[in-house]
């Protein structure tokens, strides 16, 4: 061992500077390690480092309280040893693609754990030439929320389809002869129902080239102002198709609603009953 007394002062100063530098580097590494540990501890995602064979190399402590994260006993094992073969194959393909292309590869997958289906989004990012950093985020709540939205949209669509079917059923178009159509209407008549009925009636008139359309309102107990105005427009639309409109079975409340509009029912015939209108139409008088 060299006696410090025999060491030249310049060499001794150089050694002391080197020791100080190493101590500073060690302190910086300890601070960096502490910072990384704090960052990992605060992460809500599961983090793991695996090699190109899918072997678990490191499992940093993250995601406290998470519904799932790799167990410590996974260390040293391969993915094929701890998960279903098909899923292990999928992950291994992503790992090798990430290493081969030098970029992040994302995968969305599900796993059934303790009888519950959980969903994850995993990013595999190249770490070295032979290993990747995998960050897996639990997206179960997001997937369930999106599924609930899709189910709700499907329910709304079904309701709209059922509503449309009910509207058609409540205002069917019945041909009683090639040139005469009858549309009996039932229930409360509002603007939405009237629009549906008008569309059905006009399509039927155009298709059959009918000359008379009888709208029977016997089953309509009430009518709002917009629907009353719409009924008047129906006559004009039927006239443009060369057909005459006949109203039958007007109840007092419906007649009052129509009268309150002060609309001249041009092109409209009114009969007390459906039988009267059909009799006149088939006799050629309507």
């Amino acid at each position: 061992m060299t006696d410090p007394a025999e060491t030249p002062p310049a060499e001794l100063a150089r050694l002391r500077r080197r020791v100080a530098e190493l101590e500073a580097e060690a302190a910086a590494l300890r601070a960096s390690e502490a910072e990384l540990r704090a960052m990992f501890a605060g992460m809500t995602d599961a983090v793991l480092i695996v090699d190109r064979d899918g072997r678990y190399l490191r499992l940093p402590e993250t995601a406290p309280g998470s519904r799932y994260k790799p167990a410590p006993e996974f260390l040293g094992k391969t993915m094929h040893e701890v998960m279903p073969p098909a899923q292990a194959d999928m992950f291994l393909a992503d790992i090798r693609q990430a290493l081969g292309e030098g970029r992040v590869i994302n995968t969305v997958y599900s796993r059934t754990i303790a009888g519950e289906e959980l969903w994850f989004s995993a990013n595999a990012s190249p770490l070295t030439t032979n290993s990747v950093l995998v960050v897996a985020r639990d997206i179960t709540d997001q997937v369930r929320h999106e599924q609930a939205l899709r189910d709700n949209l499907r329910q709304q669509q079904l309701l709209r389809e059922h509503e449309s079917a009910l509207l058609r059923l409540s205002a069917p178009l019945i041909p009683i002869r090639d040139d005469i159509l009858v549309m009996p209407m039932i229930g409360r008549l509002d603007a939405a129902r009237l629009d549906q009925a008008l569309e059905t009636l006009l399509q039927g008139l155009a298709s059959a080239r009918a000359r008379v359309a009888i709208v029977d309102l016997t089953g309509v107990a009430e009518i709002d102002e917009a629907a009353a105005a719409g009924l008047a427009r129906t006559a004009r639309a039927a006239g443009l198709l060369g057909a005459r409109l006949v109203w039958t079975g007007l109840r007092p409340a419906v007649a009052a609603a129509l009268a309150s509009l002060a609309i001249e029912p041009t092109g409209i015939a009114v009969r007390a009953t459906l039988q009267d209108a059909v009799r006149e139409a088939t006799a050629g008088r309507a």
Side-chain angles (χ1 to χ4, degrees):
M1 182 177 295
T2 303
D3 186 346
E6 298 176 357
T7 304
E11 180 65 16
L12 184 60
R14 188 187 66 79
L15 289 173
R16 286 174 176 169
R17 285 196 301 273
R18 182 57 182 156
V19 169
E21 290 172 356
L22 291 174
E23 289 177 345
E25 290 175 3
L29 286 173
R30 286 193 296 271
S32 178
E33 183 180 4
E35 183 179 347
L36 286 174
R37 287 182 183 276
M39 289 174 58
F40 278 123
M43 290 180 66
T44 58
D45 302 332
V47 177
L48 51 145
I49 298 173
V50 294
D51 65 15
R52 68 169 54 249
D53 295 321
R55 189 176 303 279
Y56 294 88
L57 303 179
R58 289 189 63 191
L59 299 173
E61 186 60 36
T62 62
S66 173
R67 282 177 285 200
Y68 172 76
K69 56 183 176 180
E73 54 266 28
F74 285 8
L75 275 175
K77 295 181 180 180
T78 65
M79 290 180 168
H80 279 90
E81 294 177 284
V82 300
M83 64 178 61
Q87 203 161 61
D89 288 342
M90 178 190 71
F91 279 121
L92 203 57
D94 289 343
I95 289 167
R96 291 176 177 173
Q97 183 181 358
L99 289 172
E101 299 178 6
R103 65 183 182 91
V104 176
I105 300 297
N106 175 262
T107 302
V108 174
Y109 64 98
S110 68
R111 291 193 66 181
T112 301
I113 300 168
E116 182 181 15
E117 185 179 30
L118 303 178
W119 286 86
F120 300 89
S121 175
N123 286 336
S125 176
L127 189 62
T128 69
T129 57
N130 195 50
S131 64
V132 298
L133 176 73
V134 178
V135 178
R137 172 163 296 179
D138 184 345
I139 58 171
T140 303
D141 292 339
Q142 175 185 336
V143 170
R144 289 174 179 171
H145 178 66
E146 291 172 352
Q147 182 61 50
L149 286 177
R150 286 193 293 271
D151 290 343
N152 185 47
L153 289 173
R154 280 197 293 271
Q155 287 296 326
Q156 290 181 20
Q157 179 62 29
L158 286 173
L159 286 173
R160 285 193 292 268
E161 291 173 358
H162 290 162
E163 184 180 50
S164 179
L166 287 172
L167 287 174
R168 288 193 296 272
L169 288 173
S170 65
L173 190 61
I174 304 168
I176 61 172
R177 212 169 70 177
D178 289 345
D179 59 345
I180 303 172
L181 300 176
V182 174
M183 175 175 278
M185 305 191 73
I186 303 168
R188 185 179 187 278
L189 188 59
D190 57 20
R193 284 193 59 209
L194 183 68
D195 287 344
Q196 177 72 47
L198 176 59
E199 181 181 353
T200 302
L201 178 62
L202 295 181
Q203 287 179 352
L205 287 173
S207 176
R209 298 183 182 278
R211 64 179 181 83
V212 178
I214 303 171
V215 177
D216 182 40
L217 301 170
T218 304
V220 178
E222 57 181 314
I223 184 173
D224 64 23
E225 184 176 333
L231 272 178
R233 291 197 304 273
T234 302
R236 292 194 292 273
L240 291 174
L241 293 175
R244 179 170 173 76
L245 191 67
V246 181
W247 290 345
T248 66
L250 272 70
R251 294 191 181 189
V254 176
L258 292 168
S260 68
L261 297 175
I263 296 175
E264 183 67 28
T266 305
I268 305 173
V270 180
R271 298 293 179 265
T273 67
L274 175 62
Q275 291 83 354
D276 291 341
V278 171
R279 189 183 309 110
E280 292 187 16
T282 53
R285 297 197 302 273

